[in-house]
Amino acid sequence: MLFDDVVIIKQAEKEDEATVITINCPDKTGLGCDLCRTILFFGLSIVRGDVSTDGKWCYIVFWVVGKPGTLWSLLKKRLLEACPSCSSANTLIFYHPESQPPKPADVFLIKFCCHDRQGLLHDVTHLLCELELVIQRVKVSTTPDGMVMDLFFVTDTRELLHTTKRKEDTHDHLKAVLKDDLLSCEIKMVGPNFTACSNGPPSFIPPEITEDMFNLELLDENKHESVSVSVSVMIDNSLSPAHTLVQIVCHDHKGVLYDIMRTLKDYNIQISYGRFMKKDRKICELDLFIVQADGKKIVDPNKQSALCSRIRMELVRPLRVGLVNRGPDTELVVANPVELCGKGRPLVFYDITLALKMLNMDIFSAEISRHLIGGREWEVYRVLLNEGDKLCVQKGKIEEGVRKMLMGWDR
């Protein structure tokens, strides 16, 4: 099979049409999650999907829509990197986080000082995303005299940030965005300890907020304002002698297919056949024929119940959003679960900063950290908002605006 035939992208010819992405490669458990994460990182939405596999080789088709400036050639390259090599087609690759830990990527610190202005943090975040620099941790602080010190801990998708050329190119792009506001900039490699996960709930969040945001039990959907349709997850073992059928109906949100796929990957479940479709009323329907790591159906009622509950929870609350009082100030807290492989949800910080920019909110400080809570690793985003009269007026809209942006309900 030719290398160029592994991923084929047929771009839409009309505005109301979807671009078709066809992937034909060896199979592995979690491949769907890796592909959906890549597509989500490029800001695209999957409106339809089909997947089939014989356990060794898979055939996947995604219909996607999104922004007009998508770099399709770069997307193809990243999707190719997510696919197993053709030499692995003689065996199915199962995901075992204990026995196959991924090699940690090199972490770099981008440290710069500049004059503050509204929307600065989002503009920098947007630039880093365009440069394929994945933000792992952030610490941003503002001084009383209007200066900003930004610390971005990033990994480089292109694996070139150790080179002088890539560093200079990054500096030049920052200079182009910040112009004369940029006073100094330094890029250097740092150890992985700077992005390490901390044990226990974040001490900076009150216990009542922690219990609400990180409770693994499914909340009553009727009490959650962001859910406008119930989530249905059904399991059926009667339709196939070799597979368990999982049928899902839920409200659409940004990355909905990614949320389902990452859950199945964490449970080490293999998809043999699947079909995904978005309906006109923004309702998503998904049929998946799956097997466990041992290649057998899921017959244990406890395992069935656990899987259904987890999928339902991840679809009702893929991200947690809350506001915390800091005396006279207000802090926005957003959290999302991290995959067992250590990868976080794409573009969360991008969406947070964009929502606040659109709300004309000034950011005093921001920080990203990871915490082990309830046996799961969480990525926690903290944004301290500047106090002022306009904050009091808009306080009720902050949480709603950020949640809508994160969920893709702002369109």
Side-chain angles (χ1 to χ4, degrees):
M1 183 177 189
L2 295 177
F3 185 71
D4 286 344
D5 293 336
V6 174
V7 177
I8 299 175
I9 298 179
K10 182 181 178 182
Q11 296 184 39
E13 297 179 357
K14 301 178 181 178
E15 289 187 3
D16 58 345
E17 293 180 346
T19 293
V20 182
I21 302 174
T22 305
I23 300 163
N24 193 4
C25 69
D27 197 12
K28 70 171 182 178
T29 300
L31 176 61
C33 172
D34 298 341
L35 296 174
C36 289
R37 186 196 316 108
T38 301
I39 291 171
L40 181 58
F41 182 82
F42 276 77
L44 300 172
S45 176
I46 301 172
V47 296
R48 180 182 166 192
D50 285 309
V51 55
S52 60
T53 176
D54 60 1
K56 295 182 180 180
W57 202 274
C58 69
Y59 183 76
I60 302 172
V61 183
F62 290 124
W63 287 259
V64 303
V65 295
K67 52 188 180 183
T70 301
L71 300 176
W72 297 107
S73 60
L74 184 59
L75 173 60
K76 178 176 180 176
K77 182 178 180 180
R78 298 297 171 236
L79 290 173
L80 281 169
E81 292 171 351
C83 297
S85 63
C86 293
S87 60
S88 64
N90 60 339
T91 182
L92 172 62
I93 304 172
F94 280 102
Y95 173 62
H96 298 289
E98 296 85 4
S99 60
Q100 297 178 345
K103 178 184 176 296
D106 292 329
V107 179
F108 294 84
L109 168 62
I110 302 178
K111 176 182 177 181
F112 61 91
C113 180
C114 63
H115 295 287
D116 192 18
R117 61 172 171 80
Q118 194 173 80
L120 170 69
L121 193 54
H122 175 71
D123 294 343
V124 173
T125 302
H126 179 79
L127 170 64
L128 296 180
C129 290
E130 285 190 333
L131 294 176
E132 293 192 290
L133 297 173
V134 182
I135 301 171
Q136 302 293 339
R137 190 166 183 174
V138 166
K139 191 165 184 64
V140 176
S141 56
T142 305
T143 62
D145 59 353
M147 304 298 292
V148 177
M149 178 61 71
D150 288 8
L151 304 178
F152 282 85
F153 296 88
V154 303
T155 55
D156 186 7
T157 304
R158 303 176 192 175
E159 299 182 345
L160 293 172
L161 200 52
H162 62 282
T163 64
T164 301
K165 185 179 185 304
R166 177 72 158 153
K167 289 179 181 178
E168 291 177 348
D169 183 56
T170 302
H171 177 274
D172 291 343
H173 278 85
L174 277 171
K175 182 66 176 177
V177 169
L178 301 176
K179 299 182 171 58
D180 293 337
D181 289 334
L182 182 63
L183 302 178
S184 64
C185 179
E186 178 185 2
I187 303 175
K188 63 179 181 181
M189 185 184 295
V190 296
N193 293 336
F194 285 93
T195 57
C197 177
S198 302
N199 288 322
S203 59
F204 50 80
I205 303 180
E208 61 273 15
I209 300 293
T210 304
E211 292 173 4
D212 177 65
M213 290 184 68
F214 301 100
N215 189 359
L216 296 186
E217 297 297 327
L218 178 67
L219 298 181
D220 184 349
E221 295 170 8
N222 295 327
K223 295 180 181 179
H224 200 259
E225 61 183 3
S226 67
V227 180
S228 59
V229 66
S230 62
V231 175
S232 172
V233 184
M234 304 291 292
I235 281 185
D236 190 337
N237 275 322
S238 65
L239 294 179
S240 171
H243 301 90
T244 294
L245 170 62
V246 179
Q247 295 179 302
I248 302 170
V249 180
C250 64
H251 191 279
D252 183 27
H253 67 254
K254 184 186 299 184
V256 61
L257 191 56
Y258 164 73
D259 289 321
I260 295 170
M261 293 299 175
R262 67 176 170 83
T263 304
L264 296 178
K265 179 180 179 180
D266 285 351
Y267 272 78
N268 207 9
I269 286 175
Q270 169 71 15
I271 301 172
S272 298
Y273 173 79
R275 175 163 291 178
F276 168 79
M277 177 72 74
K278 287 186 181 180
K279 301 294 185 179
D280 292 338
R281 293 187 303 142
K282 296 190 179 279
I283 302 299
C284 298
E285 296 182 358
L286 188 69
D287 293 331
L288 297 172
F289 288 86
I290 62 174
V291 294
Q292 302 178 104
D294 58 5
K296 298 179 180 179
K297 301 166 68 171
I298 305 175
V299 296
D300 186 335
N302 293 328
K303 290 183 178 180
Q304 292 180 5
S305 177
L307 178 61
C308 288
S309 296
R310 177 55 64 86
I311 292 175
R312 194 177 295 114
M313 182 193 68
E314 299 295 354
L315 292 177
V316 172
R317 300 187 72 188
L319 302 110
R320 276 63 163 169
V321 182
L323 290 175
V324 180
N325 291 325
R326 296 283 179 222
D329 300 322
T330 299
E331 185 173 71
L332 173 71
V333 180
V334 178
N336 61 265
V338 176
E339 297 173 34
L340 287 181
C341 66
K343 293 186 178 181
R345 189 184 191 88
L347 302 181
V348 175
F349 196 59
Y350 178 94
D351 286 338
I352 293 171
T353 54
L354 176 57
L356 294 176
K357 181 178 180 179
M358 293 177 66
L359 289 169
N360 295 318
M361 299 303 308
D362 293 325
I363 297 173
F364 182 76
S365 65
E367 185 173 336
I368 303 175
S369 56
R370 290 193 173 191
H371 301 267
L372 190 62
I373 308 168
R376 301 181 74 186
E377 186 174 347
W378 294 80
E379 209 158 35
V380 181
Y381 303 78
R382 303 169 56 195
V383 180
L384 186 63
L385 305 173
N386 268 343
E387 55 183 308
D389 294 337
K390 63 180 179 181
L391 179 59
C392 298
V393 175
Q394 298 179 339
K395 190 171 182 179
K397 298 181 180 179
I398 297 172
E399 187 174 344
E400 178 186 3
V402 172
R403 179 178 284 111
K404 284 185 175 181
M405 182 66 70
L406 289 167
M407 300 291 280
W409 295 339
D410 58 306
R411 301 183 181 90

